Each structure stands twice: as C-alpha cells, then as structure tokens.
Amino acid sequence: MASKKFDIQAFPGFKPITLLCLIVLYAPLVIVTVYSFNASASLTNWEGISLRWYADVFSGPESEKFKIAARNSFIIAIIAATTSTAIATLAATAMVRGGAFKLRTVSFGLISMPLMVPEIVTAVATLIFFNAIGFDRGLLTILLAHIAFCIPFAYLPIQARMQGIEDTYEQAALDLYATKRQAFTKILMPLMMPGIISGFLLAFIVSLDDFIITNFVKGAGVETLPTAIFGSVKQGIKPNIMAISTMLLGVSVVMVTLSYLVSKSDKTK
Amino acid sequence: MAAGAASGGSATTDTYKEARTWLLMPAWVTLSFLILAPVLLMLVYSFLTKEFRGGVVWEFSLSAYDQFFFDRGLFGDEPAKIEWTYITIFWRSIWQAGAATLLSFLIGFPTAYFIATQPERVRPMWVFLITIPYWVNLLIRTVSMKFLLRDQGPLNDFLISTGLIDSPLHIVNTNFAVQLGLFYSYLPFMVLPIYAAVERYNFTLSEAAADLYATKMTILRRVLLPAVKPGVIAGCILVFVPSMGSFLAPDLLGGAKNFMIGSLIEEQFKGNAGNWPFGAAASMILLTMVLIILLIFARQQAKAEKET
C-alpha cells in the first residue's frame, strides 16, 4: 500500500464527493447553530450575535411548555435506557454464554424485531395494544414503548463486546470456587463495562430522539421535547426552536463522543 | 438474524447454561408483550369494523383492505373499480425511497471507499465524522434542512449573492426535498456496510486487473463492485426500508402534494380521518412489503455465505 507511484486504490473524484458529503451532513446543523445566536426576530436578517433566544427558551412565553417537555424527555430516556440496558445485558449473557439452544434464533429474531419493523408500524401496533387493554395513554405508555424499542440498540454493542471476551477469566474464578453469580458480577460484568456503557448511551439517545412512537402513544397534553418541537415547528420555524435544537444537538454530540471515547480507550488497553 | 446466530462462534460458551431461561426471561416478556403481541393485534384490527371517531367495533370485516384497493362509489353500491389513491401513495413511497437510496449510494459509495482507503489510524475518526449527524435528533436535522432550503433561506441567499441565480429556487415542498431529507436521515446506513466491505476487499485483485490493462472504470465496474456487492446491498436495504415508512421528511419537507405511506397511516390515528382498521391494514401492507424485502435479502446473504 505504500507504493505512491501508481495508486491503484485512488479513484479521481472520490475525495471531492466525500467532502461534499460532509458539507451536506454538517451544513444544516452549522447554519442552525449560527442562526440560533441571531439577535434578529426575523429568520432572514442577521443582526449580530446575541443570546436572546436562549433566554427566551428559559423564560419566554413558551418556556414552561419546553421545561416540562424536557423534564419528561430526560426522565423517560434515563429510565428507559437503564431498564433496556439491564434487560439486554442479561439477554446477551444467555445468548453468548448460554451454549447452543433451540430458541436462540427465535430469541435473536425477537430482540431485533424493533429494528426490522418500520417505526411507524411499531407505533400503530403499540397504540392499538394500549387501547385494547384499556391502558390510559400518558407518560407511562411512552416509557413502556421506549423500553421495548431501545432493547436492540443496547443489546448489539453488549453482545459484540461479550463475544470479544474469552471465558477463561470466568473459568479461572469458577475453578477457585467462585459461584456462577460471583463469576458473573465480579468478572464478566466489569469486563463488559465498555459495551454496557455504549449500549446505555445508544439507548439513551434513541429514546431522547424518538418522535414517531412517542407521538402515537402519548396522551393528550403530555409532551416530550421532540413532540413539543414538532408542534411548534408546524406553525413555522421560530428562532427559539433553533436555540433548543442547538442545545439538544450539543447533548447528542457529547453523548456520542463519550461512547466513542469509551470504545476507543478500551482498544488501547 | 443469521448474523447473530452465526457470529456466536469463537467466544460462545455454556458457562451460564442453567440460568439462560431466567436471563432471557425479561427480554422475552418485554418484547412479546410490547412488540410481538401489538403487531399481531394490529393484524386482527385490520380485519375489524371501524368505529367513527377512532377505535373499532369487534366485528369481522374486509372493508379496510377493500377500501385500500377498490373504489365502489360514494354509497358502496357501484361495481368495483381499482382505487388508485392509496396505491399511488404507496407507489410514490417506493419511488421516493428508491430515489433516496440511489442518491445515498452515489454519494455514500465514494465516501465509504475513500474512508476505507485512508491510513488505518485515521479511519475511525472519519467513520465518527460521518456518524455524528446521525445521532442528532432526526426531527432537528429535518427542521434544519428545511431552514436551509427555504425560499428565503441561507442556501438561496448564498446562491443569489454569488449571482448564480436571480430568483430563489423552490426546493421545499418538492419530491427532491423529500429525497434530500431521506438521504440526510439514513446516509450512515449506506456508508457503514460498504465501508466494512471495502475494508475487507483484497486490493491485489485491483492490481491484477490493472496489470492486465484494465482501466480504472473497468476495475470499478468489473472487479471492485462485484466484490463488495453484499455490503452495497446491505446499505441499500438499510436506507430503503426506513425511508419507505418515514414520516418526518415527507411531512416537513414534502408538503401535502407529496404524501407518503407514513403520513397516510398517521392520519388514520392522529388526524381527522380516524379509520383505525384502515390504518392497521395500511401498516400491515407496509410491514409485509418490508418483510418480503428482508427475507429475499437474508436468503441472498445465506447463499453468498455458502459460496465463499
């Protein structure tokens, strides 16, 4: 690969396309971030830098609505991500360390079902289900739907991580008269931590982002950030929406960077 | 499905064999009750009679599917004609998803290839750069796209100020805006599998072809693309499937004229139409189409795995 004389790998035009791709991916986000600092109340004119729309988010006319929505979103995301990560960790242990069994393929199919069924179909199905069993729609229905939907996102990094861990450590512990429970909690779990953290962060972001399913299963008047933003955007994009978007964007970028660093620090070990 | 079962390979052991039923129980219970049972119930609902103002009457009826495919006049007493309204919406969804997939491939393939041929050390950083936007809230990304593309938006301002155009381009509320939105929504799904395939590609094959006087174009078409085909197919499916049932991009960027399946379904439950069995039937038709695509794909992958 070191040969520079005739580069067999390079195709002309691929690099410009890659750069174009990055521009298309980042331009909208950068523009919205920049315009969130616009002092003007109009979307089109630029009147200098100001934090007025951030102040508006926290104390403006819509601030109460967004505060409640943000609190709902974060509470749901934390509980849903924690629960689904716990469920996924146990499931991954059975799938990777449970030997061969008949229901293995079925179990994997069930776990990945939320990824295969289009989101809008899951949304419809969940709404119908809650309606049929007479479960009143509200925060709890959103939470239950999110727990189920987040399981595969938490599961996949955990499974990948567990497959990379030799079982010799647990075997050694078992040989030294550790119980299975001890081998699991004292040996396997600590080794699994990077996978579990990645899984948790992914599930957290997926829950925080979800609009379609939440929109279907939420009760009247119950809002999460995405549904509140959607409701507001339907009446036209306003500068305060751009300020909220920029803050949420920041949260996502921090979470993904954390997840990246966790997986990276692990490889260098 | 096959991937998980097959890749168990190396580190699969039976240390926790006795406990596996209990370990899997929470996942089984949660997913059976909250995903599997609801989907089955949705199938049942699609064969029930509609209640006005949402909900159903528990009475068997084929009218949801009938309404989808046939037009029997206002009072239902005329001879059945094919009803094109909903078929057109599905067809448009397939077409739009296909166009978005093609766009993602045309941009995503060179990008994935470029990243895979960078020095190994910097590749994760490139992959990271491509995936960051994906983790930003889809709603926010779609709204940002709309903001950028508006008639008085920054893109048009920029193009007018450079003198390239005189009057703003009308991009929002066109098919192209929806395709762009879908491309923006799912691009990493195209890039990542192709990247993985190119990374495994043996470049001596390209060298051999070049030694035999193949041009770059020929190498690309006859050697490289066939070799990374599984990655390309996986990428196309991962973009096509969610695009078809997407709601936000068509709703925010497409406007009323560019209605897709997602909006049709949403309207049955959230909007004024309020026909639950019809919404359930439309969802079942969408789900069936997706499952058929995934099944064909799984078969091909299994066949490809056997051959190698």
Side-chain angles (χ1 to χ4, degrees):
Chain A
M1 312 233 168
S3 64
K4 277 270 171 195
K5 47 193 187 295
F6 175 70
D7 196 348
I8 191 72
Q9 294 187 355
F11 282 98
F14 275 23
K15 191 172 182 181
I17 293 178
T18 306
L19 295 178
L20 174 78
C21 179
L22 284 180
I23 292 172
V24 174
L25 286 180
Y26 283 92
L29 303 178
V30 171
I31 297 271
V32 161
T33 306
V34 169
Y35 272 81
S36 72
F37 293 105
N38 190 356
S40 166
S42 105
L43 286 173
T44 32
N45 304 327
W46 177 259
E47 288 176 11
I49 294 173
S50 120
L51 289 174
R52 109 176 229 214
W53 299 113
Y54 289 87
D56 186 79
V57 169
F58 290 104
S59 55
E62 288 187 300
S63 63
E64 204 49 44
K65 182 176 105 187
F66 285 125
K67 237 179 252 169
I68 295 171
R71 205 188 55 203
N72 288 344
S73 264
F74 278 94
I75 291 174
I76 289 171
I78 288 171
I79 302 178
T82 311
T83 316
S84 59
T85 308
I87 293 173
T89 307
L90 297 179
T93 309
M95 297 286 279
V96 182
R97 295 280 203 260
F101 57 104
K102 259 192 248 155
L103 287 174
R104 198 148 181 275
T105 314
V106 176
S107 300
F108 192 76
L110 192 59
I111 290 169
S112 42
M113 204 172 153
L115 295 179
M116 295 189 296
V117 177
E119 206 182 339
I120 188 122
V121 175
T122 309
V124 167
T126 316
L127 168 63
I128 286 177
F129 177 73
F130 283 136
N131 185 69
I133 61 170
F135 206 114
D136 276 337
R137 276 177 271 160
L139 278 181
L140 193 59
T141 47
I142 303 178
L143 178 63
L144 288 172
H146 279 212
I147 290 174
F149 180 66
C150 287
I151 289 176
F153 291 93
Y155 177 84
L156 291 176
I158 294 174
Q159 180 196 257
R161 171 78 192 164
M162 200 180 294
Q163 279 170 347
I165 299 172
E166 294 290 332
D167 78 324
T168 41
Y169 306 106
E170 294 146 78
Q171 291 305 333
L174 291 173
D175 288 344
L176 296 166
Y177 299 104
T179 62
K180 291 243 157 123
R181 184 182 292 268
Q182 283 171 325
F184 179 75
T185 54
K186 299 247 157 99
I187 310 289
L188 187 59
M189 282 281 278
L191 286 170
M192 286 294 302
M193 254 324 145
I196 294 176
I197 293 172
S198 297
F200 174 85
L201 292 174
L202 287 192
F204 184 86
I205 292 189
V206 167
S207 165
L208 197 64
D209 275 10
D210 179 72
F211 168 75
I212 295 179
I213 292 176
T214 311
N215 188 36
F216 270 74
V217 303
K218 79 186 180 71
V222 179
E223 303 280 356
T224 64
L225 266 183
T227 63
I229 292 173
F230 185 79
S232 187
V233 165
K234 272 285 168 186
Q235 286 137 29
I237 305 174
K238 281 168 283 176
N240 62 342
I241 291 298
M242 289 196 270
I244 294 181
S245 300
T246 306
M247 288 187 277
L248 261 181
L249 202 154
V251 172
S252 301
V253 171
V254 167
M255 301 289 276
V256 178
T257 312
L258 272 180
S259 161
Y260 174 71
L261 291 178
V262 167
S263 67
K264 203 177 160 209
S265 71
D266 179 56
K267 262 181 208 146
T268 50
K269 196 162 63 184
Chain B
M1 266 180 271
S7 61
S10 60
T12 303
T13 64
D14 54 3
T15 316
Y16 303 101
K17 198 172 153 189
E18 301 82 21
R20 74 180 167 220
T21 306
W22 295 109
L23 291 170
L24 274 170
M25 198 56 84
W28 280 342
V29 170
T30 317
L31 292 165
S32 302
F33 271 98
L34 292 167
I35 304 281
L36 188 61
V39 169
L40 295 177
L41 194 62
M42 184 180 77
L43 175 65
V44 174
Y45 264 49
S46 71
F47 289 105
L48 295 179
T49 309
K50 80 166 175 178
E51 169 107 76
F52 296 96
R53 285 213 238 130
V56 287
V57 181
W58 281 85
E59 220 169 90
F60 177 80
S61 156
L62 282 171
S63 62
Y65 291 96
D66 189 76
Q67 184 189 344
F68 192 94
F69 292 108
F70 299 109
D71 174 13
R72 295 178 194 274
L74 194 56
F75 302 104
D77 51 1
E78 294 167 31
K81 286 178 297 191
I82 301 274
E83 165 71 75
W84 288 106
T85 318
Y86 308 115
I87 298 174
T88 308
I89 291 173
F90 265 66
W91 175 242
R92 183 185 302 126
S93 305
I94 293 171
W95 200 87
Q96 289 283 63
T101 307
L102 184 67
L103 188 65
S104 303
F105 174 73
L106 291 178
I107 308 254
F109 181 82
T111 306
Y113 184 88
F114 176 79
I115 295 174
T117 51
Q118 292 306 295
E120 213 176 330
R121 199 168 32 82
V122 295
R123 278 182 222 161
M125 191 206 71
W126 276 101
V127 171
F128 185 54
L129 271 180
I130 295 287
T131 40
I132 288 181
Y134 173 72
W135 292 112
V136 173
N137 196 310
L138 179 60
L139 173 61
I140 288 176
R141 277 185 291 154
T142 312
V143 170
S144 306
M145 197 59 143
K146 186 172 186 175
F147 179 74
L148 179 70
L149 299 177
R150 277 175 321 138
D151 285 2
Q152 288 91 29
L155 180 71
N156 272 316
D157 281 356
F158 173 74
L159 290 176
I160 290 173
S161 73
T162 55
L164 280 171
I165 53 172
D166 300 323
S167 54
L169 298 171
H170 301 292
I171 305 175
V172 174
N173 292 347
T174 63
N175 281 333
F176 179 65
V178 177
Q179 291 155 19
L180 211 56
L182 293 174
F183 159 83
Y184 193 31
S185 305
Y186 307 116
L187 180 76
F189 291 160
M190 178 67 81
V191 173
L192 294 177
I194 297 180
Y195 163 75
V198 176
E199 221 186 12
R200 282 196 305 267
Y201 172 68
N202 185 352
F203 276 98
T204 51
L205 290 175
S206 295
E207 274 167 36
D211 288 343
L212 296 166
Y213 300 102
T215 61
K216 287 244 155 168
M217 210 47 212
T218 313
I219 296 177
L220 179 67
R221 262 190 26 241
R222 307 283 292 272
V223 184
L224 179 64
L225 273 177
V228 300
K229 204 172 116 197
V232 172
I233 294 176
C236 289
I237 285 179
L238 288 174
V239 172
F240 185 80
V241 165
S243 291
M244 213 162 52
S246 68
F247 170 72
L248 284 173
D251 192 74
L252 291 170
L253 292 163
K257 265 195 302 181
N258 303 298
F259 225 59
M260 280 171 57
I261 311 173
S263 310
L264 175 68
I265 293 174
E266 202 244 17
E267 202 171 62
Q268 307 308 320
F269 295 93
K270 307 293 285 188
N272 298 322
N275 187 340
W276 283 33
F278 183 71
S283 303
M284 277 315 299
I285 295 169
L286 172 63
L287 181 61
T288 311
M289 287 187 341
V290 166
L291 289 182
I292 289 172
I293 293 172
L294 290 178
L295 209 68
I296 294 171
F297 172 63
R299 280 213 163 161
Q300 285 208 329
Q301 292 289 80
K303 224 168 66 183
E305 242 167 59
K306 255 185 202 160
E307 278 166 14
T308 49

